[in-house]
């Protein structure tokens, strides 16, 4: 070996130290020693070429996986001086390397070449100091086997690429200072926080290192944070995005949208977590304001129909568990139209506000009073002991109308007719409201200013129900069910991208019974599990049949099936789906499932576990009727969803109600922020479609395109596409 190999080259720009220099420049001078070292370790990890990280006195702090290729074991060398490792075939290695380390500690780069004990050739060791405020704090030593020149260019290219990846991580640290950027141990403990934490939470970064983010979490969103940390560790390389609140030093809180990214070493082991959090407090306040508008009646400030339905589905879920009857009162003013016509709209509005005030005085805590139409109010009474206590409330309402109302200085007598329906929690809230409404008409018919209970009618329904259940059982067994399909169109391409499968019952008498007439019963009796299995099986078969109409380079059309809560309780659901999909010869991305929010209200945990599993095998999931059960949307971050379907209710207001577009727009933005595809339901007009397209909605379905029809009706359309 020529001695020139061992000539010191201190001070010269060491061979290919360019990328090492860039690596060193990534260090954020504001970091404390520990954070800096950790940061460097991660960066070093990104290299395939062998790199050692040295203390300024030459002690090896760590090495990356690349050093294994030189037969150097990390565990063997950690903590030893760089010249004391067994690799060097030179007793005086210390003499050669100490000057290099010393120069490095004084801020100068350099490189030396040393023979090794194996015969694979000498190694060039290039040291680049990492300096902060002109003082060396760490040394990066790159090892390069000489005699392998052909390879080194390729290695260099790769190194540069990996470096870019490492840089990406740290540029986030260095540049996006308005966000809070952190490094964490795998359990979440902070190892680094960007200085922006002072501006955002009025806290000092250094004081927080070693603490856990949970310490900063607001109790309300603590679970979201803990869950996200667990998920990111479980879920491979995918970053996790969620929203949560952190405590500000002044006692308040701020909302953040946080993305946690797992950092893995080349063996795929989780090494660290990196997070960046954006302050979305104001954005969220705007959203909340919009939501409030979406669920309140503007004139009276009372909940509107959407919010009422939401409260009802919650109350019904509780009632099913506790068997406590619920009373629903339908209150309609008598002769309101005449009042409006004679005194004018303005007086009419004033009258409604005053009526609302009197009714509010009667509502018990926990109950809901909503205005669902012009002069129609609904009161939801929970914890009633059945019809008796509901009628007690009704009597108090009638009493409240005995006093005159003063409108513009004039005394006006008003009265109301009330219909009462009770339930112990069926699935269809609208049906209960309808029963109460029927009873209200009865009250008007009987002479107004009174109430009627829907009791007798209810009993006959029970009888009817018994017959229907038996008939439905037979229908499933005898193959009387049919699936109709409604196409979903991509708003950009105008092409059919999927179908929603909707079940119908072809009764022996020839009548095609719509799902609303038998799904609630199927859900109550548990028949839905069997019915749902038939739907899944048939939808898979149809997906397979439609494959024939598509050329192989086209995306397969996706069929969406509706899933009921009860089906998610079926422990065999997953196995059944896997089986059915493979039997039909299709793949899991051709069949998708949609659920309503109420599905998550009961035993949310096991439901979300089932959903996780379905997603794992490749089934896309969507949230159906979004908006009608909208009590809180934090669950959107927690569930493995791909798609959000905006309920018809909101779509139908587009073009007629000025607020509707604002609300739909807020929903679309929220969904997109969460990475969800947005599908609008119930599009009936070109006008609605245009607004949706403008607001950035992705897909739509509705009568404007097509009603649900038999599969064969779409064969041609699919071949043409
Ligand atoms: P959904 O999931 O909200 O289904 C959409 C309903 O809206 C369908 O009613 C569809 O025909 C109707 N629709 C579609 N476009 C328009 C439009 O532009 N305007 C209007 N006014 N309506 C439109 P359908 O088929 O009567 O289904 C009613 C409900 O029955 C469904 O509501 C779903 O909740 C349930 N359902 C249907 N099939 C199944 C099933 O296989 N399993 C379960 N669990 N539920 C099902
Ligand atoms: Ca649906
Ligand atoms: Ca729907």
């Amino acid at each position: 070996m020529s001695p020139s190999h061992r000539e010191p080259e201190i001070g010269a720009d060491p061979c290919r130290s360019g990328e090492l220099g860039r690596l060193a420049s990534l260090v954020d001078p504001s970091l404390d020693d520990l954070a800096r070292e950790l940061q460097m370790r991660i960066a070093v990890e990104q290299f395939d070429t062998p790199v050692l990280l040295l203390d300024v006195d030459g002690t090896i702090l760590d090495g990356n996986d690349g050093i294994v290729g030189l037969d150097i074991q990390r565990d063997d060398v950690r903590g030893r001086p760089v010249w004391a490792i067994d690799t060097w075939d030179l007793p005086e290695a210390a003499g050669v390397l100490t000057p290099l380390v010393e120069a490095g500690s004084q801020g100068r780069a350099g490189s030396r070449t040393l023979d090794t004990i194996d015969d694979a050739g000498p190694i060039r060791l290039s040291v680049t100091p990492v300096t902060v405020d002109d003082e060396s704090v760490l040394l990066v030593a790159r090892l390069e086997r000489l005699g392998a020149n052909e390879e080194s260019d390729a290695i260099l290219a790769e190194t540069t690429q990996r470096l870019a990846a490492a840089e990406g991580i740290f540029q986030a640290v260095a540049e996006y200072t308005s966000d809070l950027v952190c490094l964490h141990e795998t359990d979440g403990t902070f190892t680094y926080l960007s200085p922006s934490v002072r501006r955002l939470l009025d806290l000092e970064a250094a004081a927080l290192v070693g603490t856990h983010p949970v310490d900063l979490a607001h109790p309300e969103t603590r679970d979201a944070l803990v869950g996200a940390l667990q998920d990111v560790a479980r879920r491979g390389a995918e970053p996790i995005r969620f929203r949560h609140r952190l405590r500000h030093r002044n006692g308040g809180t701020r909302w953040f949208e946080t993305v946690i990214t797992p950092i893995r070493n080349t063996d795929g082991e989780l090494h660290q977590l990196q997070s960046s959090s954006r302050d979305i407090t104001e954005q969220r306040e705007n959203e909340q304001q919009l939501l409030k508008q979406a669920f309140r009646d503007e004139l009276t400030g009372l909940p509107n129909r959407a919010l009422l339905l939401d409260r009802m589905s919650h109350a019904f879920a509780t009632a099913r568990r506790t068997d406590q009857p619920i009373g629903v009162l339908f209150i309609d003013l008598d002769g309101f139209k005449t009042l409006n016509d004679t005194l004018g709209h303005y007086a009419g509005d004033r009258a409604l506000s005053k009526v609302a005030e009197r009714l509010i005085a009667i509502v018990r805590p926990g109950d809901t009073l909503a205005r669902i139409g012009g002069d129609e109010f609904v009161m939801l009474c929970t914890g009633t002991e059945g019809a008796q206590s509901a009628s007690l409330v009704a009597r108090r309402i009638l009493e409240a109308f005995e006093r005159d109302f003063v409108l513009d200085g004039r005394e006006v007598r008003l009265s109301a007719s009330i219909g009462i329906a009770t339930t112990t929690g069926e699935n269809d809230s609208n049906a209960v409201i309808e029963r109460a409404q029927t009873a209200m008409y009865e009250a008007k018919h009987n002479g107004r200013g009174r109430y009627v209970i829907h009791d007798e009618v209810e009993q006959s329904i029970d009888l009817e129900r018994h017959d229907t259940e038996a008939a439905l059982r037979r229908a499933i067994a005898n193959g009387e069910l049919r699936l109709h399909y409604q196409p979903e169109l991509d708003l950009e391409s105008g092409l059919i991208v999927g179908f929603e499968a909707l079940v119908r019952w072809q009764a022996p008498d020839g009548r095609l019974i719509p799902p609303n007439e038998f799904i609630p019963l199927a859900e109550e009796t548990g028949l839905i599990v069997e019915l749902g299995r038939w739907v899944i099986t048939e939808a898979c078969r149809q997906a397979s049949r439609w494959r024939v109409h598509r050329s192989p380079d086209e995306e397969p059309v996706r069929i969406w099936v509706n899933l009921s809560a009860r089906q998610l309780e079926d422990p065999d659901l997953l196995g059944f789906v896997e089986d059915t999909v493979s039997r039909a010869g299709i793949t899991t991305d051709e069949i998708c499932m949609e659920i309503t929010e109420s599905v998550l209200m009961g035993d949310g945990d096991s439901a979300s576990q089932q959903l996780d599993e379905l997603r794992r095998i490749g089934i896309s999931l969507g949230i159906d009727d979004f908006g009608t059960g909208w009590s809180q949307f934090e669950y959107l971050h927690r569930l493995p969803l791909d798609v959000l379907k905006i309920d018809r209710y909101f779509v139908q207001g587009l073009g007629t109600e000025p607020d509707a577009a604002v609300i739909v727009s807020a929903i679309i933005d929220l969904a997109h922020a969460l990475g969800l595809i947005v599908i609008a339901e119930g599009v009936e007009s070109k006008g609605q479609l245009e607004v949706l397209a403008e607001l950035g909605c992705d897909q739509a379905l509705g009568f404007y395109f097509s009603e649900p029809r038999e599969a064969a009706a779409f064969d041609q359309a699919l071949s043409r596409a």
Side-chain angles (χ1 to χ4, degrees):
M1 202 48 55
S2 119
S4 73
H5 268 141
R6 290 164 201 148
E7 209 69 60
E9 296 160 18
I10 294 170
D13 191 21
C15 167
R16 285 170 191 148
S17 74
E19 67 269 26
L20 290 183
R22 276 166 61 210
L23 173 61
S25 74
L26 294 173
V27 169
D28 178 346
S30 69
L31 296 190
D32 65 20
D33 291 350
L34 186 67
R36 184 181 303 128
E37 188 189 314
L38 272 162
Q39 205 186 30
M40 291 307 295
R41 280 192 189 182
I42 304 175
V44 159
E45 205 68 63
Q46 308 289 321
F47 287 79
D48 254 358
T49 49
V51 174
L52 293 171
L53 195 59
L54 311 180
D55 206 340
V56 280
D57 64 11
T59 309
I60 297 172
L61 296 168
D62 210 345
N64 70 350
D65 289 334
I67 60 173
V68 179
L70 298 176
D71 232 4
I72 304 174
Q73 302 306 321
R74 267 166 135 170
D75 288 345
D76 292 348
V77 301
R78 230 181 253 142
R80 293 169 74 173
V82 63
W83 48 83
I85 57 179
D86 304 332
T87 313
W88 317 127
D89 181 25
L90 201 65
E92 59 273 36
V96 179
L97 291 181
T98 348
L100 197 62
V101 167
E102 212 169 283
S105 71
Q106 287 156 16
R108 282 173 292 139
S111 69
R112 294 294 300 267
T113 304
L114 291 160
D115 277 341
T116 53
I117 45 167
D118 55 25
D119 284 322
I123 289 177
R124 183 193 290 273
L125 191 141
S126 308
V127 168
T128 306
V130 175
T131 58
V132 171
D133 297 335
D134 282 335
E135 203 183 308
S136 295
V137 288
L138 287 171
L139 306 177
V140 178
R142 196 160 86 95
L143 308 179
E144 190 188 27
R145 180 81 78 176
L146 295 185
N149 274 341
E150 330 67 52
E151 280 169 37
S152 61
D153 281 345
I155 291 172
L156 177 65
E158 190 182 349
T159 306
T160 314
Q161 231 175 30
R162 292 193 165 255
L163 186 65
E167 235 171 338
I169 296 171
F170 293 113
Q171 259 161 16
V173 178
E175 284 171 26
Y176 298 125
T177 39
S178 65
D179 291 348
L180 172 60
V181 180
C182 305
L183 292 171
H184 310 257
E185 283 172 21
T186 52
D187 71 351
T189 306
F190 287 118
T191 55
Y192 165 76
L193 298 96
S194 60
S196 53
V197 70
R198 178 177 320 146
R199 192 181 51 77
L200 293 167
L201 300 174
D202 196 21
L203 296 169
E204 290 305 320
L208 290 169
V209 169
T211 67
H212 196 276
V214 160
D215 301 338
L216 296 179
H218 186 276
E220 229 176 63
T221 58
R222 180 172 290 148
D223 289 350
L225 174 65
V226 172
L229 285 168
Q230 284 166 354
D231 280 0
V232 80
R234 249 188 315 140
R235 273 212 206 156
E238 265 175 72
I240 301 267
R241 184 189 295 270
F242 65 106
R243 291 180 169 199
H244 63 139
R245 286 163 92 172
L246 295 178
R247 287 185 285 122
H248 191 278
R249 200 169 74 162
N250 69 10
T253 57
R254 306 290 298 172
W255 275 95
F256 289 91
E257 181 163 281
T258 294
V259 181
I260 306 188
T261 311
I263 299 172
R264 293 172 187 276
N265 62 22
T266 42
D267 292 335
E269 287 156 10
L270 186 66
H271 186 71
Q272 272 210 321
L273 306 176
Q274 193 249 337
S275 71
S276 64
S277 303
R278 176 155 300 168
D279 188 336
I280 54 156
T281 312
E282 270 164 39
Q283 178 192 341
R284 207 176 170 284
E285 271 162 15
N286 292 341
E287 282 172 12
Q288 296 289 332
Q289 188 56 37
L290 285 169
L291 286 184
K292 225 163 107 184
Q293 283 171 18
F295 297 110
R296 292 280 164 187
D297 163 44
E298 218 175 305
L299 176 66
T300 60
L302 290 174
N304 63 8
R305 189 181 189 104
L307 184 55
L308 173 71
L309 288 175
D310 177 41
R311 299 260 169 95
M312 284 178 87
S313 53
H314 279 279
F316 286 14
T318 313
R320 281 198 291 275
R321 275 200 309 276
T322 58
D323 230 22
Q324 271 254 346
I326 288 174
V328 173
L329 281 69
F330 198 109
I331 307 153
D332 191 285
L333 300 188
D334 297 324
F336 182 71
K337 191 176 175 307
T338 320
L339 182 141
N340 235 351
D341 291 348
T342 49
L343 296 183
H345 265 291
Y346 179 71
D349 281 357
R350 304 253 304 137
L352 288 171
S353 306
K354 298 218 157 176
V355 166
E357 273 169 33
R358 289 206 190 161
L359 291 176
I360 286 167
I362 298 169
V363 187
R364 298 169 307 178
D367 289 355
T368 299
L369 173 69
R371 176 167 172 244
I372 64 166
D375 62 341
E376 297 168 342
F377 296 84
V378 168
M379 200 182 282
L380 170 69
C381 306
T382 53
T384 52
E385 283 85 54
Q388 288 92 332
S389 78
S391 36
L392 210 74
V393 178
R395 276 199 292 275
R396 294 189 53 201
I397 294 173
L398 293 178
E399 270 166 33
F401 279 92
E402 280 171 13
R403 276 179 295 127
D404 282 353
F405 289 82
V406 183
L407 295 177
D408 302 333
R410 238 188 295 201
E411 300 207 336
V412 181
R413 169 141 297 227
L414 291 173
S415 76
S417 299
I418 304 171
I420 300 176
T422 58
T423 173
T424 41
E426 53 214 89
N427 277 302
D428 191 348
S429 306
N430 282 310
V432 182
I433 297 177
E434 266 168 40
R435 284 213 303 277
Q437 191 176 20
T438 309
M440 181 275 293
Y441 286 133
E442 192 69 19
K444 286 217 193 262
H445 183 75
N446 294 352
R448 300 179 162 187
R450 65 191 65 215
Y451 68 85
V452 165
I453 303 170
H454 194 272
D455 234 3
E456 299 74 29
V457 195
E458 211 168 336
Q459 270 174 13
S460 70
I461 281 179
D462 269 356
L463 277 177
E464 217 174 86
R465 172 159 305 176
H466 189 77
D467 293 345
T468 322
E469 187 185 337
L472 183 55
R473 229 175 256 285
R474 279 197 307 273
I476 301 172
N478 298 347
E480 293 169 15
L481 297 181
R482 303 279 176 271
L483 273 192
H484 279 189
Y485 296 87
Q486 190 175 24
E488 290 175 353
L489 279 87
D490 183 273
L491 292 191
E492 212 163 283
S493 67
L495 295 176
I496 296 178
V497 286
F499 290 91
E500 177 167 2
L502 294 153
V503 70
R504 277 100 182 80
W505 174 2
Q506 180 80 64
D509 65 6
R511 201 162 76 92
L512 196 64
I513 305 174
N516 291 344
E517 289 182 29
F518 60 91
I519 292 281
L521 178 73
E523 286 175 337
E524 261 170 67
T525 54
L527 275 174
I528 191 71
V529 173
E530 214 183 318
L531 188 154
R533 286 184 173 211
W534 180 84
V535 170
I536 293 169
T537 311
E538 183 53 30
C540 288
R541 285 202 197 125
Q542 189 54 47
S544 157
R545 285 182 210 123
W546 268 332
R547 274 189 164 191
V548 184
H549 297 272
R550 308 285 278 181
S551 63
D553 54 319
E554 280 177 303
E555 290 256 316
V557 289
R558 315 170 116 205
I559 299 184
W560 288 88
V561 297
N562 291 278
L563 214 59
S564 288
R566 278 288 266 276
Q567 291 175 267
L568 282 173
E569 286 166 19
D570 171 14
D572 300 328
L573 176 67
L574 191 76
F576 175 80
V577 170
E578 279 180 310
D579 225 48
T580 310
V581 164
S582 81
R583 229 178 267 208
I586 59 168
T587 52
T588 45
D589 59 350
E590 288 167 74
I591 213 84
C592 319
M593 300 192 172
E594 52 187 79
I595 50 163
T596 58
E597 290 161 274
S598 57
V599 162
L600 308 157
M601 242 135 46
D603 182 7
D605 257 7
S606 82
S608 78
Q609 225 172 357
Q610 283 266 37
L611 295 175
D612 274 334
E613 296 282 297
L614 285 169
R615 177 79 183 289
R616 192 179 49 77
I617 63 167
I619 304 272
S620 290
L621 299 174
I623 195 96
D624 199 4
D625 301 343
F626 187 75
T628 53
W630 197 348
S631 47
Q632 54 174 131
F633 49 83
E634 250 56 63
Y635 73 88
L636 284 180
H637 312 264
R638 303 287 315 126
L639 291 178
L641 299 172
D642 305 277
V643 160
L644 179 152
K645 292 182 116 180
I646 304 181
D647 192 68
R648 255 207 319 277
Y649 174 87
F650 294 98
V651 174
Q652 264 153 25
L654 291 178
T656 54
E657 282 162 45
D659 278 350
V662 182
I663 292 155
V664 168
S665 163
I667 297 177
I668 291 174
D669 290 348
L670 173 73
H672 283 167
L674 294 166
L676 303 176
I677 292 173
V678 185
I679 305 183
E681 294 187 317
V683 178
E684 291 181 352
S685 72
K686 189 161 181 239
Q688 291 165 350
L689 178 66
E690 280 167 356
V691 179
L692 286 164
E694 186 152 319
L695 296 178
C697 183
D698 305 297
Q699 298 169 19
L701 72 178
F703 293 168
Y704 179 67
F705 306 112
S706 167
E707 291 183 13
R709 296 155 91 182
E710 284 173 17
F714 301 104
D715 288 353
Q716 247 194 337
L718 287 177
S719 325
R720 246 189 293 121

